[in-house]
Amino acid sequence: RPTVVAYGEVRPGVRTQLVAQVGGRIEAIAPAFIEGGEFAPGDVLLSIENTDYLASVDERLSRLAAARVDLEQAVADADVARRQLAGQKNPSPLALKKPQVARAEAALKAAETALALARTNLKRTQISLPFRGRVQSQSADLGEFVSPGKVLGTVFGTDIAEVRLALTDRQLASLGIPIGFSGETEGALPAVVSGEIGGVTGRWKGALVRLDAAIDPATRTVYGTVRVNDPYGEGSSETMPLAVGLYVDTEIEGRPIIDAVQIAAEGLRAGNEVFILN
């Protein structure tokens, strides 16, 4: 199997900005919410003052209770009207109180929706993320008033790391995979990622999981993605984690070559000839 060597920069599988969905004053910040801080899924990184949102939930609860009473009253009135008009022929829907019942039902539904939104806004005062990761940058601090849409910081996930590689046509031939290849359906190709930080070289096991479906018109190459699982934990080297932003070498295992003999590169002469001793 030939080995294809390519170079690229490590990037996270997930990178996102923390954005406030509700407005208010930041009343608490977790110790992990600092450049380089580590957080787990569901950890609250920032808390926005929730007094107004608690009051909104209480108000919506009272409106919901009133809407339920109105609906019960409308249903009772409709029942009375139906009994009183039982002897009449083709009484109108208005006389039977049907529109009043429908309006009360709609008002109850609106009150339930408003309560659900108020509770959602209350939850949004506690800002967390559904994945494990680290903080890349922080752009909000304790006591600051934020409005909806305010960027609070940038974070990235540490479950997987990816390396984007530019592969030439010859390298694709050595790999034996087509453009648009997906390792999820066709089987990923084993790869080894290596890089150096502070004079120490680390090596990490990964796999080529996909190729882009188009050729880059500027470089005439096809970009592939090598994935390393848990680069800051089990997938890390014994010496260091596979840090985001590191420039690395990547060795990808190519397709098997049948009926061939492997020779040293120095054995190849001009004109693609090899001298044989017999």
Side-chain angles (χ1 to χ4, degrees):
R1 290 180 178 269
T3 299
V4 173
V5 180
Y7 311 93
E9 183 179 356
V10 179
R11 67 180 192 181
V14 177
R15 189 197 305 268
T16 186
Q17 288 183 325
L18 278 182
V19 178
Q21 293 181 280
V22 295
R25 183 178 60 86
I26 298 176
E27 63 177 5
I29 290 182
F33 190 64
I34 190 171
E35 284 83 354
E38 184 178 4
F39 59 88
D43 285 355
V44 177
L45 298 179
L46 295 98
S47 297
I48 296 175
E49 189 176 17
N50 63 2
T51 305
D52 294 344
Y53 302 100
L54 285 171
S56 178
V57 169
D58 291 340
E59 179 186 0
R60 298 301 178 184
L61 281 170
S62 65
R63 292 188 180 184
L64 178 61
R68 285 173 176 164
V69 171
D70 292 343
L71 177 59
E72 291 177 1
Q73 183 65 54
V75 170
D77 292 343
D79 185 59
V80 172
R82 186 173 58 256
R83 295 185 182 205
Q84 292 176 344
L85 300 174
Q88 295 186 12
K89 186 178 181 179
N90 297 326
S92 67
L94 186 61
L96 292 173
K97 307 292 185 180
K98 290 183 178 179
Q100 292 87 330
V101 173
R103 181 176 63 184
E105 289 175 343
L108 177 61
K109 182 64 175 178
E112 291 173 344
T113 301
L115 175 61
L117 179 59
R119 285 173 170 167
T120 298
N121 286 334
L122 178 60
K123 290 180 181 179
R124 288 171 176 169
T125 61
Q126 305 291 307
I127 300 175
S128 61
L129 291 164
F131 56 83
R132 180 164 53 97
R134 291 179 179 263
V135 179
Q136 181 173 344
S137 64
Q138 174 190 358
S139 51
D141 215 333
L142 188 65
E144 180 179 349
F145 183 87
V146 297
S147 56
K150 162 73 175 178
V151 176
L152 308 174
T154 303
V155 300
F156 61 87
T158 55
D159 291 330
I160 61 173
E162 295 183 341
V163 183
R164 289 278 286 171
L165 307 169
L167 301 171
T168 65
D169 184 68
R170 179 173 294 182
Q171 289 175 321
L172 288 178
S174 297
L175 294 176
I177 54 178
I179 293 178
F181 162 83
S182 174
E184 305 295 336
T185 58
E186 302 176 54
L189 299 183
V192 176
V193 176
S194 60
E196 182 176 340
I197 295 181
V200 178
T201 300
R203 292 174 64 85
W204 304 268
K205 292 182 179 181
L208 179 68
V209 293
R210 65 180 179 270
L211 287 181
D212 288 0
I215 298 174
D216 189 327
T219 61
R220 309 308 302 173
T221 58
V222 176
Y223 281 90
T225 301
V226 169
R227 177 180 297 169
V228 176
N229 292 322
D230 199 11
Y232 284 79
E234 294 296 331
S236 64
S237 168
E238 296 180 357
T239 54
M240 61 180 176
L242 181 59
V244 170
L246 180 65
Y247 198 71
V248 294
D249 302 344
T250 304
E251 301 175 6
I252 308 169
E253 187 177 283
R255 61 181 175 86
I257 298 177
I258 309 301
D259 293 336
V261 176
Q262 181 176 349
I263 65 170
E266 294 79 2
L268 184 64
R269 301 303 177 184
N272 288 332
E273 292 184 347
V274 176
F275 293 166
I276 298 177
L277 298 181
N278 55 27

